[in-house]
Structures are given as structure tokens and as C-alpha cells.
Amino acid sequence: MILPDFPPLEPADLPARLRGAAAGELVVLTPNRRLAQALESGYDAGRAAEGLESWPAADILPIDDWVRRLHEESALDDGDAAPLLLSEDQEALGWEEIVSADPAAAVLVGTAALAREARAAWALAHDWDLEGALGAWEASVDSQAFARWAGAWQRRLDREGWIDAAALVTRAARLLAGGRVNRPSTLVAHAFDILTPAQRRLLQAARAAGIDVVASSAPDADGAIAKIALPSPREELELAARWARARLAAAPATGPGRLGIVVPQLRERRGLVERIFARTLVDERLFDLSLGEPLADRPLVDFALGWIEFANRPVELARVGRLLRSPFLGGAERELDARARLDAALRREGPPLLDLAGLRAFLARAPERRPLPSCPELDRRLEAVASLPRTPRSAAPHDWAQDFAAKLAAAGFPGERSLDSREFQTLEKWREALGRLGALGLVAGHLDGRDALGLVRQIAAGTLFQPEAGAAPVRILGVLESAGLPFDALWVSGLTDDAWPQAPRPHPLLPVALQRRAGIPQSSADLSLALDRRITEGWSRAAGEVVFSFAVADADRALAPSTLIAGIPPLAPESLGLTPVPTRRLALFAAGRDPLAWEFLRDEPAHAVDPAGVRGGTSILADQAACPFRAFARHRLGAEPLESPEPGLDAADRGTLLHALMSRLWRDIGSHARLVAMPAEALATVVDNAARIAVARVRADRPGRLDGPLADLERERLARVAFEWLAVDRDRPPFDVVLREDRVEMAVGPLTIAGRVDRIDRLASGSLAVIDYKSGSPRVAGWIGDRPDDPQLPLYALAADGDVAAVAFARLKAGEFGFAGLAREEGLIPGVPSVQGHRGAARVAASWEELLAQWRAATDDLARRFARGESAVDPKRGLASCRHCGLHPLCRVHERLGALAPEEGTGVPEEEE
């Protein structure tokens, strides 16, 4: 029995006691807010089922809210005599000031992070009656530091007449004993797996004050229990989602929150869980994640924080573009297209960093070569923000809150369109965050703008936002949030022996021996095991159907089931009876069975294209191979990803430099024989001239990217590259360079494709070698297969006028200078094997001629597919093919492929090099 000191109340009796209690007579306390909401919802549903239209609200709330209510009641009666309760933000800032004032405080983790840990340790010490032993117990250096901070914090609380949340339970017990607050007749402690010493004293004080204190628990369900093994954690979550989908389809009248999914480490896995369930359940209205997302991550708040920063200091140009295109900036709807084109122009022509003043100056001196789109409403908004009175460099928090609000208002925030429900709730939370910033003046003195913005950003990041909406039938919860909740069916995932029972996690700032003596559950393996065993037993009784699951492996790591589910009978996944559920049926259910709420369309191919009208290079076929939709979007719709501006030179600039360098070098040198015979001084002159011409080309194409000392450094770097590469070419058998950066046209299937060949050498045998310069680490495997990743060199080989005997990448990368390619026979180019000598090529062709034929067949097939209009979203390697595409907003590939996160890989093995 968890609460042996208090008489039990049968679970079935609680609803009746609630119905029969007069206002103020009965209070039900729960360990967390979610359980309180579930009890209240169940009570209301029962009253509605009785046919009532209205009824007194049940007084059900978390225990922390109750002690806060008692304090507020006393404050109303005592007036100035009552201590002032600090908000969470005020506490956090106060602890930061205490920690930062200690010269011995460690700085490796940052003051804010250290202060959060100290505040958590302070709360734990109060809950478990440790505060009196701080400093008197033999402890580590960290614990000694915390004892100093705790003493300083308590002295400040006493000096200022404040009280913090950690001391509220003790104060509430005194208030009950003194009869200074409203006391109910009955107090019900419901579903407490853990009762801290402070909470136990509170309930004892309530009983001593004449309150009837009883303990209740969730009703037990006598149902089927099984455990299931899955190959991986991702497949475990996917099966849980399919199970929920099938149970929903079988019982469309499932009540709110009646299907439960428990996911340990839900905070860390939130993104993956949300993607899996969104894909499987079709509609987000069908499931609810108990853990909200940080307010700072909501688009509206992200814009607000970004705009405030942009108005005061330079930010990255890509960030500026997102601000300008945001719907939360005034005039966004009217200037939608113009602002998108302005963003694209800024990424081409603008500096890497830009603030509001810099943007206004840039717009005033629009580049003459390419006039910028006209955005008069944007100009007016920028002018309005720039014209605001300047807040002093150092000001009170409430002054900064007003400054930030004014900058947003002048920008037309939150935009001209109507906000949806979630956005409106987000806006209200943002306004609360600004109010919380202003309230920090109680603790903090004057701040500069950077610190004030950091504080409101910290407030937004620390606020978990969960929009209020209709209760969903599927509830996805963390471990502790699931305690005490009743379900129709429950799936508990992640029960491997390394995760459950949880490993001990004693607080690092409190003496471990002191924590164990107090009985803090996570301070030792035995205490943690006891708690997790109680939680597991509670899950087993929580629903008519309970499924425990675990993965047998995670990547290369083998896993075993938790010992806490060892006695539960195993079940094969196919025994769950998960018959396929038509998406249309589930979608209509999600939409409230309204057939008009969903429209179903077939993904048809695009119209065939007239081959004579196709203009483009080899990237058409590379894109068709990587993903047919990418080829359609880029080469028929004209869609291109936005540039990603970088300080200095980007990858395209460096590629241009290298190609211009090598082209000029071999224009002046011409042949292997001349290279070998050229005196060192003459070669140095040729190299210096080539480097100078390459830099001049980029300076002409991209003004401002390569000026002054940077240009000199780049010329020196190019000269080093040239000398190192020429040493590689000098060691080759004799050759003549017969073609450099020449344009070619190639007939590929029904298409005519243009290209530019970097270089073709005539070898001593009279045959040709096609060479392509690369500054990275190119893969020869990209030439192989029906969907070759990089068909450029194979196409050039097929189009060359002569007998091509080798194709090769020239790797111009520090530490990797040399060739990578394929040849008819060994020895034609150093390091380039024959077809038979390359494992990947040998799998598809037995000879050089057969490989050329395979290239012809593959490229012709890709060309025919493009011309026919094949445009399915079909990335060759799953999301791995999409990482650098930049067209995700068009194809919405993550919705099609669902839950696979980029860092998880694709499960598709790479082809051998």
C-alpha cells in the first residue's frame, strides 16, 4: 500500500462521493495535471450521461496547485504580511544571479544550466527533508558549492520577504494547522505512487486539522496482457501506431484518451513519434502527445524572437529571408510573391549577415544589374520600426518588454491574415512571455538589450506549449504521466533491460548518501527498481488489453526484454490481428464522418513533354535517377531551391575557381611532353597566370565575394593546388589535352542534352580519356546501375568523337589528389582499374564495351521516362536522397515516407566503390 497512513477509498466509490459533495466539501488531489484532467473529464462525462445540462464542477487538481491555492487564499487575508510568491522565471533568474556571483562556480556548462540544476536540487531537498542537512554532510565539491548557493538563496528570500515554490508545501501545512484557509471536509489523495515526506506532512496536517483524508487508486481492469518483440525501436513504434489505427477502426466511438501509448524518453523521441503516428493515423486530431513543444519552436514565436534580434543586430541572411517571407509580418499576403523574389535576390546579391538598418541600406542601393522586386508595404514597415524611439542601452525588464512589443507592432505583427486556433493560442502565450519578462524587474536590475532578449528567449524555450483542442482518442504519454490513468487499451513500448527499470540518477548537487538515506527513488538501483515495479504493475491493471513491447536490437546493439516483464506471456506481432484499415475510412472518422471534409486524388503522371522543347544539361538525367519528381520540378516547372548564403566563398565559387584554373593551365601547357620539358620558372609563370585569371573570373561573376587580402590568399591556394595536381599529371604516361571546357550536345533517348566537358586527353594509343574535375570525394559507384547517381561522365564518354578507353574523376582535394574511374584496361591512367578490377562495375558488365552498352541503356531509359512525364515522388535511397534536394516544400516527401528521420539512415546499402 503506497499510503498506509490513510484509509482507502474504493475506486468505484469516488464518482459517487464527487456527485454527492456540496461545493467546497470534497477536494481530490492528483500527482500530476494530466491525471486531474482525466478525472475531471470522466466526471463530466458521467454527469452528462445522466441527462444533466449543468452541474457543479468537481474540485480535482494536482497537489502542487492546491498548495498554491492555499497560499493565495492566505495572501488575500494577510495582505502585506504574507510572503510574496516568486514566479518560476523570477526563481530561475534569482538562482542564476546566485550562481554567477560565486567565483568558484564552474563555467563549463554555463550559468543558466548550472542554475537550473541548483534550483531542481533545492526543490528536491525540500520535498525530501534534506535542506537542514545541506553543508553539514560530507560531500563532493559540487555539493559544497550547492550548499553555499542554497544558503545565499535562503538569506535573500528572508531579506526580501519572498517565498519560492519549494517551500509552499511546508507553508500550506502551517496554514491548515492554523485554520487560516478554507478546509474541505474530505481530501482524497488519488493514484500517488510516491508520496514525498513534505507531501505526507501536508496530508497529516490536514487530518490533524479535522479533514477526513483518504487514499484512492485507479480502478483495476482485468484484461489480456502480452509482450511483443520487434526488430528495432522504430518498427516497435510503427507497430504501436498500426495497432492504434486498427483499434480505432474497430471501435469508432472510442472516447477521448481511451487508447494509450507509453513511450519512455518521449521528450527526446518526440519528432520521430509524431511523424510515425501522423503518417499512420492520417489526421493529427486522432492523437495527442502529452509533451508539448517549446514555445520558442512555434513559427509565430520564432518570427517574433527573430524579428527582435534582426531589428538590433546582424543575423544570417537565410534567417532574414525567412523573416521577410513570414506570414506574421505586416503586408505578407499582399506582397507574398514580391517578398519571395526579394529573398531569392538577397541570397544572390546580399552580404552573409544583415540587420534591419543594413537591409534598408541594401534596398536603397539596389544592384543595377538586377533590380530588386518592389515591396512598398515592407519598406513602410521597416521605416516604422527604424523610427521608433530608442530604448536606453540599460533599462528595466518591463521597458525591454515594451520595446520588443513596439518593434513587433510596428512590423505589423502578427500579420494581416486571420490566425487559426493554434496560432491564436500561441500569440496569447507569447504575450504572456513578454509579461513574464517585465515581471523579472522584481529580481533583476537594469539589463542591456542582448540580455533582455536572451531572457525572453529562455522563457519561450522553457515553456512547453500544448494547444487546447478537442480530446483525441489516442493519448501518447511519457512514463510518469501515464500513472493512474484508465484506458480501454494500452501499449507500453521501449521495455528493454537497459531502459527499464531505469538506471539510478541521483542528483549531482546533493550528497548521494544523503539522497539514499532519505529514500529518493532515483538515488539507488533498489529504490528505482521498486518504483518501476509498482509502475509496471499499474500498467498491467490499467486496461482491458495491455501490450508490452521491446526491440531486440538498436542499430548494431543487441537488446533484451526487461526483467520486469519476464513473466508476461509472449505474443507474435501477427497475432494482434491488425487487418489493413482503408485510409479513406480512417480519414472520414477523423473528420467526424463528413465525406466532404476529405478529397482523395490519384497521383497521376505529368503530361508527356515535347523532346524538341527540352533544354538542359546532364542534371536532367541525374535528377530523374535520384527522384523523378525532382527532375519534373526542376526541369519542367523551373523550380530551384533557394541559395544558402555563406560568408566568403561557397561550394559553387570554389568549383568555378578550380575549373577556371585547370582550363587555363592546360590551355597554356597543352601536353604531357611540354609539361615534362617546361623549366620551373616558366611553369611558375603559367601557374601564377592561371590562378590570377581564375580569381578574376569569380570576382567578375560574384562582386564582393573575393576582394582584397582574401583574393591574394585564394591565388596562393590555387597555385598550391596547381603544382600538386601537375605533379600527378607529370607521373602519367604521355598524353595530349585535346578538349577543355568545350560544349557538347548529346542525343540521349528522345532528348538532346547539352553539356560542358572539363577535359579529354588523347592517350599514347590514340584512344581517349574523359576527365572531370572534382574538389570533393566523388564515387565511381554513381555511374553504375539502372538509376546512376551521376551519369555525367558516362554521357560524355558515349558522346565523344573517338574511341573512349577511360573515364575518370580528377580529385583536386587536399590529401586525396589523384584519379578515380574505370578503364578498358589497367595502366591507362594511374589508379584507375579496369571494369573487371572494380567489384561494383564487374557485377553489371563483363567488359568495357558491355559497360558502355549498359550506360547507353540506362541513360536512354531515364531520358524516355522523363519525356513520358514520369514524375512520382520516388527518391532512390529514401530520405538519404532528399537531404540536399531543397524541394521538400513541393513534394512533401516526409509525409510520404513518414517517420524515417534523416539521421536514422534508409536501410538501403551503399553500392561498393
Side-chain angles (χ1 to χ4, degrees):
M1 185 72 183
I2 304 303
L3 305 180
D5 297 342
F6 305 99
L9 176 69
E10 290 299 322
D13 294 339
L14 180 58
R17 294 285 292 269
L18 285 169
R19 288 193 299 270
E25 283 189 355
L26 177 66
V27 174
V28 179
L29 304 180
T30 64
N32 57 61
R33 188 173 308 280
R34 182 166 288 274
L35 180 53
Q37 292 170 343
L39 285 178
E40 187 174 8
S41 176
Y43 170 76
D44 290 341
R47 309 275 12 215
E50 296 171 10
L52 299 178
E53 295 183 355
S54 64
W55 53 87
D59 198 358
I60 305 172
L61 70 169
I63 190 169
D64 291 341
D65 286 5
W66 187 58
V67 299
R68 188 178 296 270
R69 186 170 79 184
L70 294 178
H71 170 78
E72 291 170 352
E73 288 178 7
S74 73
L76 289 174
D77 293 337
D78 296 348
D80 294 339
L84 178 64
L85 176 61
L86 296 177
S87 69
E88 290 188 14
D89 306 315
Q90 291 165 339
E91 282 188 39
L93 183 57
W95 275 103
E96 281 192 44
E97 292 180 348
I98 293 291
V99 172
S100 62
D102 186 352
V107 297
L108 291 179
V109 296
T111 300
L114 201 54
R116 281 195 298 272
E117 290 294 331
R119 184 167 164 242
W122 178 251
L124 198 63
H126 278 72
D127 287 342
W128 293 87
D129 290 345
L130 307 182
E131 69 270 23
L134 298 178
W137 196 273
E138 183 176 349
S140 65
V141 173
D142 290 340
S143 296
Q144 293 171 8
F146 171 67
R148 290 195 306 273
W149 304 336
W153 178 240
Q154 186 61 60
R155 288 191 294 274
R156 186 174 186 189
L157 291 174
D158 296 340
R159 183 174 64 252
E160 302 286 356
W162 299 338
I163 188 173
D164 62 8
L168 275 185
V169 175
T170 300
R171 173 171 168 76
R174 291 199 302 267
L175 292 173
L176 288 170
R180 297 159 58 192
V181 290
N182 294 323
R183 293 181 294 193
S185 300
T186 303
L187 196 62
V188 180
H190 180 75
F192 281 82
D193 281 319
I194 303 173
L195 203 60
T196 68
Q199 292 170 340
R200 188 176 297 277
R201 277 200 316 277
L202 174 67
L203 297 182
Q204 290 169 341
R207 184 169 58 185
I211 301 173
D212 180 23
V213 181
V214 297
S216 70
S217 60
D220 290 345
D222 185 15
I225 304 174
K227 66 182 176 187
I228 291 181
L230 280 305
S232 70
R234 180 171 62 84
E235 291 170 274
E236 186 182 3
L237 289 173
E238 288 177 340
L239 185 63
R242 289 175 50 215
W243 171 83
R245 175 179 172 130
R247 296 300 178 264
L248 277 178
T254 299
R258 299 304 299 180
L259 293 180
I261 310 288
V262 177
V263 181
Q265 299 177 325
L266 180 57
R267 182 183 300 273
E268 292 79 6
R269 307 181 72 191
R270 186 184 195 280
L272 175 64
V273 171
E274 189 168 21
R275 287 193 297 273
I276 285 177
F277 278 83
R279 179 196 64 184
T280 308
L281 298 184
V282 180
D283 194 301
E284 61 184 15
R285 289 172 294 184
L286 292 177
F287 69 94
D288 166 45
L289 269 75
S290 67
L291 182 69
E293 63 179 320
L295 182 65
D297 292 348
R298 297 295 303 166
L300 183 145
V301 176
D302 180 67
F303 168 82
L305 293 169
W307 185 264
I308 294 167
E309 184 176 14
F310 168 65
N312 290 280
R313 67 184 60 89
V315 298
E316 293 180 354
L317 193 56
R319 175 86 161 139
V320 176
R322 289 196 297 273
L323 293 173
L324 297 183
R325 289 184 287 109
S326 171
F328 306 115
L329 179 60
E333 297 295 309
R334 294 189 297 275
E335 295 181 348
L336 180 66
D337 181 65
R339 291 185 188 183
R341 288 185 286 114
L342 175 60
D343 178 24
L346 278 171
R347 290 167 182 258
R348 288 192 305 266
E349 309 288 349
L353 299 174
L354 204 60
D355 60 6
L356 188 142
L359 175 61
R360 296 184 69 216
F362 181 85
L363 296 176
R365 58 173 193 274
E368 296 179 1
R369 292 188 306 156
R370 192 177 298 174
L372 296 178
S374 174
C375 301
E377 178 68 12
L378 175 63
D379 294 338
R380 189 173 72 81
R381 295 295 180 182
L382 296 174
E383 171 65 25
V385 176
S387 301
L388 290 172
R390 294 183 64 85
T391 300
R393 185 179 185 86
S394 179
H398 67 83
D399 292 328
W400 284 116
Q402 292 176 354
D403 176 273
F404 297 162
K407 285 184 168 66
L408 289 169
F413 178 79
E416 59 194 353
R417 67 174 175 81
S418 298
L419 300 181
D420 63 26
S421 175
R422 289 193 175 198
E423 290 170 338
F424 182 78
Q425 293 177 59
T426 304
L427 178 62
E428 292 302 307
K429 285 292 184 182
W430 165 249
R431 288 170 174 163
E432 288 179 17
L434 285 181
R436 290 160 62 182
L437 171 65
L440 291 178
L442 177 69
V443 177
H446 280 204
L447 307 167
D448 64 22
R450 185 182 295 271
D451 288 341
L453 178 58
L455 285 173
V456 76
R457 194 184 296 277
Q458 187 173 311
I459 289 171
T463 301
L464 291 181
F465 173 74
Q466 187 135 27
E468 296 179 6
V474 179
R475 186 176 291 171
I476 304 172
L477 311 123
V479 170
L480 295 180
E481 298 157 313
S482 64
L485 289 174
F487 304 97
D488 291 341
L490 175 66
W491 184 297
V492 184
S493 66
L495 296 184
T496 56
D497 61 350
D498 64 335
W500 194 256
Q502 300 175 83
R505 296 191 306 276
H507 198 286
L509 295 183
L510 294 172
V512 175
L514 186 60
Q515 295 180 62
R516 290 174 177 168
R517 192 173 104 169
I520 297 176
Q522 294 301 324
S523 62
S524 73
D526 290 343
L527 291 169
S528 181
L529 173 62
L531 173 62
D532 292 351
R533 178 176 284 116
R534 291 199 299 271
I535 293 175
T536 306
E537 292 170 353
W539 286 332
S540 301
R541 300 189 299 268
E545 178 188 7
V546 179
V547 178
F548 295 117
S549 68
F550 63 94
V552 298
D554 186 1
D556 296 331
R557 188 165 58 99
L559 300 173
S562 167
T563 56
L564 294 179
I565 58 172
I568 294 174
L571 184 71
E574 53 271 18
S575 300
L576 287 171
L578 303 185
T579 56
V581 179
T583 297
R584 177 185 293 271
R585 178 179 176 188
L586 200 68
L588 296 179
F589 167 55
R593 297 181 171 274
D594 179 5
L596 300 179
W598 283 76
E599 182 180 5
F600 294 85
L601 303 175
R602 292 185 60 188
D603 187 6
E604 300 285 0
H607 295 297
V609 66
D610 179 5
V614 175
R615 293 292 182 268
T618 59
S619 60
I620 293 177
L621 302 191
D623 289 337
Q624 186 73 22
C627 175
F629 181 83
R630 184 192 300 183
F632 171 75
R634 284 186 172 171
H635 305 287
R636 294 187 61 180
L637 300 182
E640 287 294 338
L642 289 171
E643 294 185 32
S644 299
E646 301 174 6
L649 300 175
D650 58 22
D653 294 330
R654 295 193 180 279
T656 299
L657 284 167
L658 287 175
H659 281 78
L661 171 75
M662 301 308 294
S663 177
R664 185 67 190 199
L665 279 177
W666 284 106
R667 172 182 170 180
D668 293 342
I669 297 173
S671 69
H672 177 266
R674 189 174 179 200
L675 171 64
V676 172
M678 187 174 288
E681 296 80 2
L683 184 59
T685 299
V686 169
V687 167
D688 180 71
N689 182 58
R692 182 172 48 79
I693 289 174
V695 168
R697 176 175 168 181
V698 170
R699 291 179 67 179
D701 292 344
R702 305 290 295 272
R705 288 295 180 102
L706 199 56
D707 293 325
L710 182 60
D712 296 334
L713 289 173
E714 192 59 32
R715 277 192 291 269
E716 293 174 9
R717 186 189 73 84
L718 289 175
R720 291 193 299 271
V721 170
F723 280 118
E724 192 164 354
W725 179 256
L726 290 175
V728 173
D729 265 342
R730 184 182 287 110
D731 290 340
R732 290 175 55 193
F735 63 88
D736 293 323
V737 176
V738 297
L739 191 147
R740 299 168 293 97
E741 296 284 335
D742 281 27
R743 180 179 175 83
V744 296
E745 285 197 348
M746 299 159 282
V748 189
L751 305 180
T752 299
I753 290 178
R756 188 175 297 277
V757 182
D758 288 353
R759 175 174 149 191
I760 294 182
D761 293 352
R762 189 177 304 282
L763 307 178
S765 64
S767 59
L768 303 178
V770 181
I771 295 173
D772 190 52
Y773 301 122
K774 295 292 183 184
S775 58
S777 301
R779 299 173 58 250
V780 174
W783 302 340
I784 297 169
D786 295 334
R787 294 173 67 176
D789 297 330
D790 187 4
Q792 183 183 45
L793 270 180
L795 284 170
Y796 291 162
L798 295 171
D801 185 15
D803 176 27
V804 174
V807 291
F809 293 119
R811 293 196 304 259
L812 304 175
K813 183 179 180 181
E816 297 183 17
F817 279 80
F819 290 98
L822 294 170
R824 176 182 288 139
E825 58 190 73
E826 305 283 345
L828 295 180
I829 299 178
V832 174
S834 66
V835 172
Q836 294 81 1
H838 186 279
R839 284 182 297 175
R843 284 203 302 264
V844 300
S847 66
W848 176 251
E849 288 68 24
E850 191 173 330
L851 180 63
L852 291 177
Q854 197 274 335
W855 285 348
R856 172 68 71 187
T859 54
D860 283 354
D861 181 62
L862 289 172
R864 284 191 292 269
R865 290 176 180 274
F866 177 81
R868 286 200 301 262
E870 293 190 15
S871 54
V873 178
D874 181 24
K876 178 180 176 182
R877 290 191 175 87
L879 292 185
S881 298
C882 305
R883 289 174 187 165
H884 306 293
C885 170
L887 299 178
H888 306 150
L890 284 179
C891 69
R892 300 164 72 178
V893 64
H894 289 82
E895 296 180 25
R896 283 179 170 267
L897 298 188
L900 184 59
E903 63 272 13
E904 290 185 78
T906 64
V908 178
E910 291 289 333
E911 294 171 282
E912 294 186 56
E913 290 289 348

